[in-house]
Amino acid sequence: MTATAASDTTPPRRRLSALAGLLPFLAPYRGRLIMATVTLILSSGAMLMVPLAFRDLIDKGFVANAAADSHINAHFAALGLLAIFWAMATAGRFYFVSWIGERVTADLRSAVYRRMLAQSPEFFETTRTGEVLSRLTGDTTLVQTVVGSSVSMGLRSLLQFIGGLVMLGVTSPRLFVITVVLLAVVVVPLVLIGRGVRRMSRDAQDRLADTSAVAGEILNAIPTVQAFTQEGRESARYDASVDDSFKSAIRRARLRALMTASVIAGVFGAIVFVLWLGAHAVIAGTMSAGQLASFVLYAVLTAGGVGVIAEVWGDVLRAAGATERLIELLHAESRIQRPANPKPLPQTRQARIEFQNVHFHYPSRPDTASLDGLTLDIREGETVALVGPSGAGKTTIFQLLLRYYDVDSGVNAETGGIRFNGIDLRDLDPAELRAQIGIVPQDAVIFSADASANIRYGNADATDEQVQQAARTARADEFLDRLPDGYQTFLGERGVRLSGGQRQRLAIARAILKNPPLLLLDEATSALDAESEAFVQRGLEAAMVGRTTLIIAHRLATVQRADRIVVLEAGKIVEIGTPAELLHSGGLYARLASLQLMA
């Protein structure tokens, strides 16, 4: 599944239906929705009362008689009170609508983010992270604009339009008919232009998402970009993407400018024409000056309502497209699901792992078997090393143990697949399974936090003493103590303030702090120098005591103390035995060892 934009040919009605996906996010705030609706009606009603107040002011307040002063004072006082009421109702509408928009957007953003965290790695094989981030920022901002502003303006303008039409008919039926005809002449081209704006708005959103994806990918690979001196090329690539986004936005702006000009010219021309007819009616005595003034004001309100509705309609359609993409992410289903009735895992110090006729193909490479009928029994407390050439299936074993993916098939439902302490992984809650596993990856992940928080990622409830003990075991204390603020030193994004070996030792400390029954070491010492590797190797050996450990290693010197070595090639086990047995067997392991240990 990919987070792609809907086709421009999607019918508007279908796109608008995507906004129904926001209803679950609006439902918890019914009280504020009611308050927003009430204040909207009150402010719109107050607005529609203004022309009537002006009519009475002109017809009764500007009369040359003894009561003129009292009349004009009363009318101006009424206008003042009406203005205050209108202002308060409008302020209330603005506050409640803005609150709802911000709250719904925050809830939607959080819900999509939680959904993304629950996706398996398979999802991100086909979906770019930058595109997801663009949806979380750009699309949610569009939704916020519509829910927190545009919808309110649209409803207000709709009430203004309907109420204005009614009052126009009451004030002067003849001029009302003429005004309706003129408005129709103005609205028809606006609808046609609006369709073009809608298509261009969608295109501009897609170009912006592409730009964000390019930037996210390159900024996460700055060292590589600089190492290969590709700054100029990547800058040019980003400039080209930005330029595409700019051109798309300008095309949209040009068309919207044309629409705005059409609104102003059409509305102003209609008002001038109606005012001309009304002036002749006043001269002829068939209409009072106050009636003409109120009619013109109602005509302005009605025409203004049409203009706002036309502009808001474009925003609503853009938000519908954005909502459709967000709901698509929100409804993305991970293939790795928690069973309806997961089996509980016994709390043990050690783990037993059984692979029985395991087959696996990565979804992005369905024609290539990563594991081909693998069968392996790892006993409690055993240390097993996985060795073999790149692509042999070593990392795949770790991915399946962590249940990032499920196996393709086994012998049968009872005995096939992978079993953890006698229970098939597919019968376990993935979170409970992963809580029993600690991993030190080859590329250590360090978060933008201090050293203590990074180590405590392995156990959020650990005490400071436990954190420091884990660091000492991993031999990380020797550099942590030298940092400016010790364990509270901020390490920068992705741990840029540390060397590769220091980051690796922090990752090892994190896994040690977790204290799991199963420990997975994926080239855990690959980033260390010889001296540090000797220190950390002793720390790892201490951490492995009493628990089951699986080690992936290309440097065979690091696995000489393993209980067994499993040699993989093309997804199959080709050799298995102790280091000494394999050295004398003359097989693949012996050939690899001759290239390393005896060099």
Side-chain angles (χ1 to χ4, degrees):
M1 169 264 170
T2 57
T4 55
S7 169
D8 289 341
T9 60
T10 304
R13 185 173 300 173
R14 179 181 169 187
R15 280 200 295 269
L16 285 175
S17 66
L19 292 173
L22 297 176
L23 293 178
F25 296 93
L26 289 166
Y29 310 113
R30 294 184 186 88
R32 291 182 183 267
L33 280 170
I34 292 172
M35 292 300 299
T37 303
V38 170
T39 52
L40 171 66
I41 293 173
L42 291 176
S43 63
S44 299
M47 181 192 303
L48 292 172
M49 291 295 294
V50 171
L52 286 178
F54 271 101
R55 184 195 67 183
D56 292 342
L57 178 64
I58 292 172
D59 287 342
K60 298 178 182 178
F62 297 157
V63 179
N65 55 42
D69 284 345
S70 61
H71 277 302
I72 200 167
N73 289 338
H75 281 293
F76 272 105
L79 267 177
L81 292 174
L82 181 60
I84 293 172
F85 178 78
W86 184 12
M88 293 178 63
T90 301
R93 175 189 64 83
F94 177 80
Y95 170 77
F96 286 116
V97 169
S98 297
W99 190 97
I100 292 169
E102 295 289 350
R103 184 68 265 170
V104 166
T105 303
D107 291 349
L108 178 60
R109 190 174 286 146
S110 295
V112 172
Y113 185 69
R114 285 194 302 270
R115 195 68 170 184
M116 292 300 96
L117 290 179
Q119 296 304 310
S120 68
E122 177 188 349
F123 177 85
F124 295 99
E125 288 184 19
T126 55
T127 304
R128 293 184 298 180
T129 304
E131 189 175 358
V132 174
L133 293 177
S134 176
R135 299 294 174 240
L136 284 171
T137 52
D139 283 357
T140 52
T141 299
L142 279 175
V143 172
Q144 189 277 328
T145 298
V146 169
V147 176
S149 175
S150 296
V151 167
S152 171
M153 292 173 57
L155 290 174
R156 183 202 65 190
S157 299
L158 182 62
L159 291 176
Q160 176 181 325
F161 174 73
I162 295 173
L165 283 178
V166 171
M167 296 308 297
L168 283 174
V170 172
T171 305
S172 174
R174 172 175 168 268
L175 293 182
F176 166 72
V177 173
I178 295 173
T179 302
V180 169
V181 173
L182 291 175
L183 285 176
V185 172
V186 173
V187 168
V188 170
L190 287 180
V191 172
L192 297 177
I193 296 174
R195 290 178 179 175
V197 172
R198 183 169 61 248
R199 288 193 298 271
M200 291 181 179
S201 295
R202 181 177 297 278
D203 182 65
Q205 287 175 257
D206 293 340
R207 299 290 78 74
L208 182 60
D210 291 341
T211 300
S212 298
V214 170
E217 179 182 16
I218 299 307
L219 291 177
N220 283 327
I222 283 294
T224 302
V225 172
Q226 294 177 348
F228 287 89
T229 62
Q230 293 294 311
E231 296 94 331
R233 177 176 175 273
E234 294 301 343
S235 179
R237 189 158 74 98
Y238 183 74
D239 288 345
S241 181
V242 169
D243 195 49
D244 287 343
S245 178
F246 169 77
K247 290 177 181 177
S248 180
I250 289 301
R251 286 194 296 269
R252 181 191 66 193
R254 188 182 297 122
L255 201 56
R256 289 195 71 167
L258 177 61
M259 185 170 70
T260 301
S262 301
V263 170
I264 294 174
V267 170
F268 187 76
I271 290 174
V272 170
F273 182 71
V274 171
L275 185 59
W276 177 73
L277 292 176
H280 281 284
V282 171
I283 293 172
T286 58
M287 176 182 280
S288 70
Q291 284 179 307
L292 176 60
S294 66
F295 188 91
V296 170
L297 287 175
Y298 280 125
V300 170
L301 289 177
T302 303
V306 172
V308 173
I309 289 172
E311 185 169 350
V312 166
W313 181 249
D315 290 338
V316 169
L317 287 175
R318 290 178 66 201
T323 301
E324 188 173 13
R325 288 186 289 272
L326 288 167
I327 297 301
E328 183 178 314
L329 290 180
L330 194 59
H331 290 168
E333 291 289 343
S334 173
R335 288 199 183 186
I336 306 303
Q337 294 291 329
R338 180 180 183 273
N341 298 296
K343 294 181 179 179
L345 265 177
Q347 298 298 315
T348 60
R349 170 72 174 168
Q350 301 172 337
R352 179 174 181 177
I353 310 298
E354 301 166 79
F355 293 83
Q356 297 180 336
N357 194 28
V358 172
H359 297 261
F360 179 72
H361 297 71
Y362 282 100
S364 58
R365 305 189 297 274
D367 297 328
T368 304
S370 295
L371 293 179
D372 188 6
L374 183 135
T375 297
L376 177 64
D377 189 356
I378 301 170
R379 298 180 293 274
E380 293 92 336
E382 188 177 19
T383 297
V384 174
L386 305 176
V387 302
S390 297
K394 303 183 297 296
T395 300
T396 299
I397 288 175
F398 279 21
Q399 301 249 17
L400 293 176
L401 278 172
L402 287 160
R403 210 181 167 212
Y404 293 157
Y405 302 89
D406 278 336
V407 300
D408 292 341
S409 64
V411 176
N412 55 56
E414 291 298 325
T415 62
I418 305 174
R419 305 172 80 83
F420 189 103
N421 283 341
I423 304 175
D424 193 294
L425 298 192
R426 290 163 291 190
D427 294 328
L428 294 171
D429 181 344
E432 186 178 357
L433 167 66
R434 293 163 189 164
Q436 304 295 308
I437 302 173
I439 182 169
V440 180
Q442 182 174 2
D443 185 14
V445 176
I446 302 299
F447 299 97
S448 298
D450 60 40
S452 178
N454 267 282
I455 298 174
R456 194 174 269 113
Y457 209 76
N459 181 359
D461 299 323
T463 64
D464 290 342
E465 175 56 34
Q466 290 172 321
V467 169
Q468 293 167 13
Q469 179 57 48
R472 285 193 292 270
T473 303
R475 300 300 191 269
D477 58 322
E478 58 90 12
F479 71 85
L480 290 176
D481 290 336
R482 295 199 305 267
L483 293 176
D485 298 313
Y487 284 78
Q488 277 65 53
T489 300
F490 178 71
L491 303 180
E493 186 175 5
R494 304 179 70 190
V496 294
R497 300 179 66 180
L498 301 178
S499 69
Q502 289 171 339
R503 289 196 295 270
Q504 198 73 358
R505 278 183 273 177
L506 272 188
I508 293 169
R510 180 189 298 158
I512 291 172
L513 185 64
K514 189 174 184 180
N515 194 28
L518 176 62
L519 184 61
L520 305 180
L521 306 177
D522 186 358
E523 292 285 350
T525 60
S526 62
L528 304 179
D529 56 71
E531 183 179 3
S532 296
E533 181 178 3
F535 279 123
V536 174
Q537 193 66 38
R538 288 197 291 270
L540 286 174
E541 289 171 3
M544 292 187 289
V545 171
R547 64 166 49 85
T548 307
T549 305
L550 277 180
I551 304 171
I552 291 177
H554 287 101
R555 293 197 298 194
L556 303 184
T558 63
V559 297
Q560 294 308 296
R561 297 188 181 182
D563 298 315
R564 282 190 298 164
I565 293 179
V566 176
V567 185
L568 297 168
E569 187 173 28
K572 296 181 179 181
I573 296 176
V574 294
E575 291 181 289
I576 189 167
T578 66
E581 290 171 348
L582 295 180
L583 277 175
H584 292 90
S585 68
L588 177 59
Y589 178 84
R591 294 198 300 272
L592 294 173
S594 67
L595 296 174
Q596 296 184 28
L597 302 180
M598 301 177 186

